[in-house]
Amino acid sequence: MIAEKNKIQPEVLEAVVIRFVGDSGDGMQLTGTQFSDTSAMIGNDVSTFPNYPSEIRAPQGSLYGVSGFQVHIGSVEISTPGDDVDLLVAMNPAGLKTNLYAVKPGHTIIIDTDSFSKKNLEKAKYETNPLEDGSLDNYRVIEVAISSLTKEALKDVEGLDNKTITRSKNMFALGIVYWMYDRSTDHTIDFFNKKFASKPHLIEANTKVLNTGFYFAETLELIPNSYTISPASMPAGTYRIISGNTATAWGFLAAAEKSGIELFLGSYPITPATDILHELVKHKHFGVKAFQAEDEIAGITSAIGASFAGDLAITTTSGPGLALKSEALGLAMMVELPLVVVNVQRGGPSTGLPTKTEQSDLLQAMYGRNGESPVIVMAASTPSDCFKYAYEAAKLALEHMTPVILLTDGYIANGSEPWLIKSVAEMPEIKNNRINEVKENWHPYDRDKETLARDWAVPGTFGLEHRIGGLEKDKITGDVSHVPENHEYMTKIRAEKIKRVENYIPELETEFAKTGDLLVVGWGGTYGSLHSAVKQLNEKGYDKIGYAHFNYINPLPKNTEAILRQFKKIVVCELNNGQFASILKMNFNKYDFLQFNKIQGLPFGNTELTEKFKHLLS
Amino acid sequence: METTAKKEYTFKDFASNQEVRWCPGCDDYVILRSMQKALPEMGVKKEDVVFISGIGCSSRFPYYMDTYGMHGIHGRAPAIASGVKLANPDLSVWVVTGDGDSMAIGGNHFIHVLRRNIDLNILLFNNEIYGLTKGQFSPTSLVRQKTKSSPYGNTQPPFQPGELAIGAQARFFARIGGNTPKEMTQMFIDAETFNGTSLIEILQNCVIFNDGCFTQYTDKNVREDQQLFVEDGEPMIFGKNKDKGLVLNGLKLEVVTIGENGITEQDILVHNAGEQDPTLHQMLVRLEYPLVTGIIRRFQDVTLEEREDALTKEVMANSKFTKTDDLFFSGETYEVK
Ligand SMILES: Cc1ncc(C[n+]2csc(CCOP(=O)(O)OP(=O)(O)O)c2C)c(N)n1
Ligand code: SF4
Ligand SMILES: [Mg+2]
């Protein structure tokens, strides 16, 4: 019987979306991470997205205490965590109830039947048991008594309390899923060996449960078939799975090392940006000075002080925090010091939807300061390229002596995907405008002829003592000046300095059709969704649709108009009410910019995009 | 800061080429001059000195000093200065702030900088009024005080800066009249010598909007009788005839006269600025008669930079990472061929 089963050849799939859901205490994040890491290691492309409850200790079994982790793996290019779930693993009724919507009829659900007790059904507000009332008839439901099978598997292992036993049931589920998708348990067992090095009984217990789950799936006819996903064709090299927030933090570490300038972070915790702070505080060994300030204002102003004193200074936050930083950002712009402000956008306005994603701080980043106050505004597009854009933001800040706002969002910040690891040696040079010796007739606002960046003379440098501040400066001496013409001159030169950055950033590129009927325009964290939707249409023969994605918004790439001109229709897609569209309209007013907006705290779905584009093409 | 390479500076070396624009007669001139005189005595190199200010009349101060300086934004100087000092602990960093700048808009930064004990020197120009915005009441204005924004009298009770500061764990708190440049100069030197955050409250007369607000204590004719200038290790005696002193009566300070009721100098409390327990220091800052000036509290404690430095060294010694590549290629990586 077993031998028989083993002979079955797994069915080959291109891509699959799996979602693990359960109670906050059920270890769903770990289960999902293990599955995606194992898949990445056998060469699949992966993209993941966690979904935590916003309450820290939500009551067990409650609907709002459900924790989930979605994994999208493929032998093809994977650019989003996926929309429709092919396999849902539900460890309790609340998980099933809150996630069933994502599973299409006909797809598979694995359920821990032990958890479907009367009490848990009540907590999940089920009036009847979905396992009995026929409401799951349209799905392929695999019922497994995971909790009791786990207990049974562990009955001979010494030194385990009940809690430990219950907690390892997620590994039983993972074992089943490993078997179903034809992956080995080796990576996860290695992980146990490392993680529980000092607790051998936990290694034994977890390994046993994982393997029992795996063999259970293999043995029982309950699970009709298994699948495999071949390795994706990805550029050769060393990879790791990285989240957007970690990649952002690491981009700054790399920039500091490359530039030889010490990194200073001034920050105040705020969802979903806090993980950048969490990451950077770990790296004291690289000399990172991470300062958790008393509020966002102190976060940015301490960074301004550090920048004045010669550090590569950054501050990290989300929308409400950026609002608090706006006055200080104006100061940084006025004193023309290098500074990077990261805004991991979340649903706004006000406290809004802290744990949801949105792109609605674009205009705040562009204009949210008093006076004429231009800064560089740029945006990362995927979890892994947060590394590149954080690095680039630091480089631009240092080379152009200006604040830079780097926009990411909750979706790419928490999502993760493979990152082809970059060694610092491969990264572009970072220059700076430091002046270390007395020059005759030197003034603090002396500018580089090409970039217009001013000199950076830091305290401690002999003979270059000078004062800067928020008051308007004389264009030559840098002393306080209220002269009308001087103010106009300085306002214009500050604008021109940012404008000239266009000579130092890459040109905009079009993907798919270079000319044609419809240009899809996106910016920032929507890259994955938009790219895959346009790609899909292209593969289906729609060859008149192109895609242009913006990472630089102020200034815009020089060739923007040359690209817009190539298409009959332009649709600007963004997770807000049309902010980037309004910037494009203002800059290129002879074009008609159609809009596709979504403001639900959610990323774009594949179907809504392809439907929209097809409609626009017809 | 570097103290070895003592250069012979004079006060002129610290005066910038900017024309000083405070109102004639403003105490700010006295403070500026005292600072320019104190700096050559400190043995710090001019290029290592940084003045950071917020916004207000007082906050124009950095423009007049030929050192490094930043005129920041309203209330945020302690945070800017913290960044400067954490970035480069070798600098001598000074914060210049007003009563509104530090205790109204900047109250949050003010308490936290004191709590952290970063080695900064803070000069609080207390004129019990908003000078720059032309005369509104401030967090130190008195109840009933008539100002532009309290024409019928102020109804908000004031902060006593020393009480707030010591409550926020200030390790060094001193108070000085704005018309005593000699003592002030010495106090600036003492603040620089102190390792940790030092706060000096300067009773600064604003001739335009709050003239005479401290006269009852600072006027030459009454000063000795109304002020007790405390010195560490000395009995707390004051008065023209040096015959008044402080004793503790139960939980209260009491003024006594030496030679009356059998009181001798031996009975007078001896000032201990270095006492960790702030109870007596709190009583001293709250006293209205006499007004206590001088260095009221100077308790040597570990600074934030010292803690950070020790921790960084420890982490570095135990870390397997020296380059970012070590980190990037560590842990769960995999090869794609
Ligand atoms: C954000 C902000 N709010 C308000 C002001 C206006 N403002 C400038 S100085 C000041 C009060 C200054 O009072 P104080 O700190 O006591 O300084 P002084 O002028 O008395 O030395 C105010 C309200 C400002 N510059 N910035
Ligand atoms: S307004 Fe008052 S504090 Fe300001 S400069 Fe004039 S006298 Fe001095
Ligand atoms: Mg004042």
Side-chain angles (χ1 to χ4, degrees):
Chain A
M1 168 82 192
I2 294 172
E4 208 53 12
K5 256 268 181 213
N6 275 341
K7 272 191 217 146
I8 297 173
Q9 277 299 310
E11 188 184 325
V12 179
L13 298 179
E14 256 188 2
V16 60
V17 177
I18 302 172
R19 191 184 285 187
F20 298 91
V21 300
D23 207 56
S24 312
D26 285 343
M28 294 296 98
Q29 307 299 321
L30 175 72
T31 313
T33 313
Q34 281 302 311
F35 187 81
S36 65
D37 285 358
T38 294
S39 301
M41 291 198 178
I42 60 173
N44 293 142
D45 198 358
V46 310
S47 173
T48 74
F49 196 75
N51 197 350
Y52 317 102
S54 47
E55 283 76 13
I56 305 299
R57 291 270 180 275
Q60 211 184 2
S62 67
L63 290 171
Y64 53 93
V66 174
S67 165
F69 194 94
Q70 184 159 321
V71 191
H72 190 183
I73 57 174
S75 58
V76 290
E77 181 194 50
I78 297 295
S79 40
T80 74
D83 299 335
D84 299 328
V85 172
D86 298 301
L87 170 66
L88 177 71
V89 179
M91 301 301 283
N92 71 358
L96 178 69
K97 180 139 190 195
T98 47
N99 288 279
L100 190 62
Y101 75 92
V103 191
K104 274 211 184 133
H107 289 191
T108 310
I109 305 172
I110 297 180
I111 283 174
D112 176 11
T113 48
D114 290 333
S115 70
F116 278 61
S117 63
K118 193 161 170 269
K119 204 166 125 206
N120 279 343
L121 287 166
E122 268 167 23
K123 282 188 195 161
K125 310 245 163 10
Y126 272 120
E127 271 159 25
T128 56
N129 188 343
L131 301 180
E132 291 160 4
D133 65 8
S135 61
L136 300 177
D137 283 356
N138 287 333
Y139 303 91
R140 248 177 54 186
V141 180
I142 302 175
E143 296 184 17
V144 186
I146 295 180
S147 304
S148 38
L149 287 165
T150 301
K151 238 178 240 159
E152 179 65 20
L154 291 177
K155 68 175 190 295
D156 298 329
V157 185
E158 307 260 316
L160 298 177
D161 52 25
N162 264 338
K163 204 167 152 196
T164 314
I165 295 172
T166 326
R167 275 188 153 180
S168 53
K169 68 181 180 204
N170 58 334
M171 289 301 127
F172 194 98
L174 182 60
I176 298 179
V177 180
Y178 275 157
W179 184 83
M180 279 180 77
Y181 290 96
D182 192 30
R183 27 263 18 218
S184 130
T185 54
D186 292 354
H187 169 72
T188 299
I189 293 172
D190 282 352
F191 166 81
F192 295 150
N193 286 321
K194 270 185 230 146
K195 172 152 185 189
F196 303 122
S198 58
K199 294 172 186 148
H201 65 290
L202 290 184
I203 301 180
E204 190 193 344
N206 280 288
T207 307
K208 195 151 193 188
V209 176
L210 181 71
N211 283 334
T212 312
F214 188 90
Y215 296 133
F216 173 84
E218 188 177 58
T219 316
L220 284 203
E221 284 182 35
L222 204 59
I223 296 165
N225 54 341
S226 78
Y227 308 93
T228 192
I229 295 103
S230 316
S233 67
M234 305 199 336
T238 311
Y239 284 79
R240 67 185 306 135
I241 305 291
I242 201 165
S243 73
N245 273 339
T246 304
T248 304
W250 287 14
F252 292 122
L253 291 178
E257 185 173 313
K258 190 77 170 194
S259 62
I261 301 178
E262 287 179 4
L263 184 63
F264 180 96
L265 166 71
S267 188
Y268 190 76
I270 183 168
T271 302
T274 317
D275 281 341
I276 306 175
L277 168 68
H278 291 166
E279 182 59 30
L280 285 173
V281 290
K282 289 185 205 156
H283 300 300
K284 274 190 185 304
H285 40 243
F286 299 136
V288 175
K289 291 164 248 180
F291 177 60
Q292 181 178 318
E294 56 272 28
D295 58 23
E296 280 87 352
I297 301 173
I300 186 172
T301 48
S302 61
I304 292 172
S307 174
F308 182 50
D311 276 1
L312 166 55
I314 63 171
T315 183
T316 51
T317 192
S318 186
L322 184 64
L324 283 171
K325 289 177 198 291
S326 53
E327 186 197 11
L329 195 50
L331 173 69
M333 191 271 338
M334 193 69 163
V335 296
E336 303 189 38
L337 282 170
L339 174 74
V340 181
V341 182
V342 180
N343 177 5
V344 185
Q345 298 168 98
R346 62 190 221 180
S350 187
T351 307
L353 302 169
T355 58
K356 302 290 174 197
T357 200
E358 207 160 274
Q359 297 182 298
S360 49
D361 295 341
L362 178 61
L363 293 182
Q364 178 181 214
M366 288 289 292
Y367 307 116
R369 290 167 293 286
N370 57 305
E372 298 283 347
S373 191
V375 299
I376 296 175
V377 178
M378 51 192 286
S381 35
T382 72
S384 69
D385 84 6
C386 286
F387 178 84
K388 171 176 147 191
Y389 288 104
Y391 187 92
E392 191 62 22
K395 178 173 154 74
L396 289 174
L398 289 169
E399 294 182 350
H400 297 264
M401 290 293 285
T402 175
V404 176
I405 298 180
L406 172 63
L407 298 172
T408 69
D409 58 56
Y411 181 62
I412 61 172
N414 287 323
S416 41
E417 63 178 7
W419 173 49
L420 177 55
I421 305 174
K422 285 273 187 265
S423 166
V424 172
E426 302 167 56
M427 301 302 289
E429 281 318 310
I430 298 182
K431 293 178 281 202
N432 66 62
N433 263 33
R434 278 286 290 272
I435 162 166
N436 299 314
E437 276 156 28
V438 190
K439 259 201 254 170
E440 195 145 349
N441 218 357
W442 178 81
H443 297 297
Y445 281 75
D446 286 352
R447 294 175 190 281
D448 179 280
K449 284 200 182 59
E450 303 298 324
T451 60
L452 299 178
R454 74 174 187 93
D455 284 349
W456 191 14
V458 311
T461 315
F462 172 79
L464 299 182
E465 295 84 359
H466 65 281
R467 276 66 55 197
I468 54 177
L471 286 170
E472 185 59 282
K473 299 292 175 292
D474 180 81
K475 62 183 174 192
I476 294 166
T477 62
D479 293 332
V480 175
S481 164
H482 290 93
V483 176
E485 294 74 22
N486 179 74
H487 177 50
E488 187 159 323
Y489 175 89
M490 289 297 276
T491 300
K492 290 195 166 154
I493 203 141
R494 287 188 288 262
E496 173 67 15
K497 182 175 89 167
I498 300 302
K499 173 84 175 136
R500 285 194 193 181
V501 172
E502 68 181 18
N503 299 323
Y504 302 86
I505 58 172
E507 295 211 323
L508 185 65
E509 282 175 30
T510 338
E511 290 186 71
F512 311 106
K514 304 285 173 217
T515 158
D517 293 342
L518 178 65
L519 178 69
V520 173
V521 167
W523 68 274
T526 49
Y527 178 81
S529 340
L530 294 172
H531 170 87
S532 56
V534 179
K535 184 175 172 217
Q536 200 175 320
L537 289 180
N538 233 262
E539 285 164 357
K540 286 191 181 143
Y542 294 86
D543 56 359
K544 299 260 187 304
I545 174 169
Y547 174 41
H549 191 80
F550 287 78
N551 294 102
Y552 295 90
I553 292 172
N554 197 37
L556 288 164
K558 270 199 289 195
N559 65 330
T560 302
E561 186 166 10
I563 285 190
L564 299 177
R565 207 184 290 140
Q566 305 304 321
F567 292 84
K568 290 190 188 131
K569 281 185 190 169
I570 302 165
V571 61
V572 184
C573 308
E574 45 187 336
L575 301 174
N576 60 38
N577 209 13
Q579 300 191 11
F580 187 51
S582 75
I583 291 175
L584 289 173
K585 279 176 200 163
M586 197 171 75
N587 281 281
F588 309 104
N589 57 16
K590 64 178 185 207
Y591 298 90
D592 191 15
F593 294 96
L594 305 170
Q595 290 178 209
F596 187 51
N597 303 109
K598 182 172 181 179
I599 321 155
Q600 302 177 8
L602 294 170
F604 283 122
N606 187 272
T607 318
E608 61 191 353
L609 289 174
T610 49
E611 291 300 309
K612 174 78 184 179
F613 300 156
K614 276 193 231 163
H615 177 74
L616 289 172
L617 282 165
S618 63
Chain B
M1 75 255 78
E2 188 87 45
T3 47
T4 45
K6 185 163 178 176
K7 228 180 125 176
E8 294 302 316
Y9 295 112
T10 70
F11 76 90
K12 282 196 193 127
D13 291 306
F14 290 97
S16 78
N17 61 358
Q18 297 296 291
E19 194 187 322
V20 185
R21 301 239 182 127
W22 289 308
C23 309
C26 177
D27 274 352
D28 290 3
Y29 285 94
V30 181
I31 307 170
L32 179 65
R33 188 63 176 226
S34 303
M35 181 55 76
Q36 288 165 344
K37 281 190 170 159
L39 279 164
E41 305 300 316
M42 292 179 195
V44 293
K45 289 195 279 182
K46 181 168 139 168
E47 63 268 25
D48 287 341
V49 179
V50 185
F51 280 89
I52 305 287
S53 63
I55 300 289
C57 293
S58 36
S59 288
R60 296 294 171 96
F61 195 93
Y63 288 122
Y64 306 136
M65 297 293 303
D66 192 25
T67 63
Y68 285 93
M70 191 192 305
H71 182 214
I73 46 176
H74 202 14
R76 320 300 172 195
I80 300 175
S82 298
V84 172
K85 186 73 183 181
L86 291 173
N88 184 356
D90 293 336
L91 301 171
S92 165
V93 184
W94 296 77
V95 171
V96 180
T97 182
D99 41 322
D101 195 61
S102 62
M103 281 173 286
I105 193 165
N108 199 25
H109 313 304
F110 183 67
I111 55 175
H112 288 283
V113 75
L114 295 169
R115 168 176 75 87
R116 294 189 184 109
N117 197 31
I118 303 179
D119 186 16
L120 304 171
N121 309 307
I122 306 176
L123 308 182
L124 166 49
F125 292 33
N126 183 7
N127 54 10
E128 301 189 348
I129 198 84
Y130 287 179
L132 191 74
T133 44
K134 301 191 168 61
Q136 302 77 21
F137 65 85
S138 90
T140 53
S141 298
L142 304 179
V143 169
R144 296 233 177 91
Q145 187 173 322
K146 289 191 174 149
T147 71
K148 289 246 185 72
S149 55
S150 56
Y152 305 112
N154 178 25
T155 52
Q156 302 183 9
F159 273 138
Q160 184 55 257
E163 191 179 7
L164 177 66
I166 295 172
Q169 298 178 40
R171 277 64 162 190
F172 182 116
F173 176 77
R175 190 191 276 148
I176 184 85
N179 58 351
T180 46
K182 212 171 116 244
E183 291 80 358
M184 198 187 295
T185 304
Q186 184 55 46
M187 201 174 260
F188 292 164
I189 298 168
D190 292 340
E192 172 62 21
T193 315
F194 181 74
N195 187 28
T197 312
S198 35
L199 172 64
I200 301 178
E201 180 198 2
I202 303 162
L203 308 176
Q204 176 245 320
N205 191 38
C206 166
V207 283
I208 306 296
F209 299 110
N210 203 10
D211 196 21
C213 66
F214 299 115
T215 317
Q216 62 178 116
Y217 303 115
T218 55
D219 187 86
K220 269 200 216 76
N221 301 319
V222 301
R223 194 189 295 163
E224 284 161 287
D225 283 331
Q226 298 298 320
Q227 271 188 48
L228 162 63
F229 191 87
V230 291
E231 281 177 87
D232 199 24
E234 299 294 326
M236 295 195 257
I237 294 175
F238 67 104
K240 268 203 190 76
N241 308 321
K242 303 259 173 271
D243 60 345
K244 297 269 191 296
L246 291 185
V247 297
L248 208 50
N249 182 357
L251 289 176
K252 286 217 158 68
L253 288 174
E254 191 177 293
V255 177
V256 293
T257 308
I258 300 168
E260 274 177 19
N261 302 325
I263 300 275
T264 72
E265 214 184 295
Q266 261 64 47
D267 299 313
I268 306 298
L269 278 175
V270 172
H271 182 46
N272 181 3
E275 169 59 52
Q276 177 170 6
D277 184 331
T279 313
L280 197 61
H281 300 152
Q282 279 285 24
M283 290 182 183
L284 290 171
V285 297
R286 282 199 300 258
L287 214 57
E288 287 178 13
Y289 168 73
L291 184 81
V292 181
T293 52
I295 299 171
I296 295 170
R297 180 169 174 76
R298 177 167 43 191
F299 163 63
Q300 193 59 62
D301 196 1
V302 192
T303 65
L304 184 74
E305 308 89 282
E306 287 166 347
R307 283 186 216 278
E308 284 287 334
D309 189 53
L311 197 59
T312 302
K313 289 198 176 110
E314 194 184 309
V315 173
M316 277 183 175
N318 295 321
S319 169
K320 51 185 196 288
F321 300 134
T322 55
K323 290 266 173 263
T324 48
D325 276 3
D326 305 338
L327 168 70
F328 297 172
F329 289 94
S330 71
E332 308 277 296
T333 65
Y334 60 96
E335 298 297 323
V336 171
K337 302 239 159 48

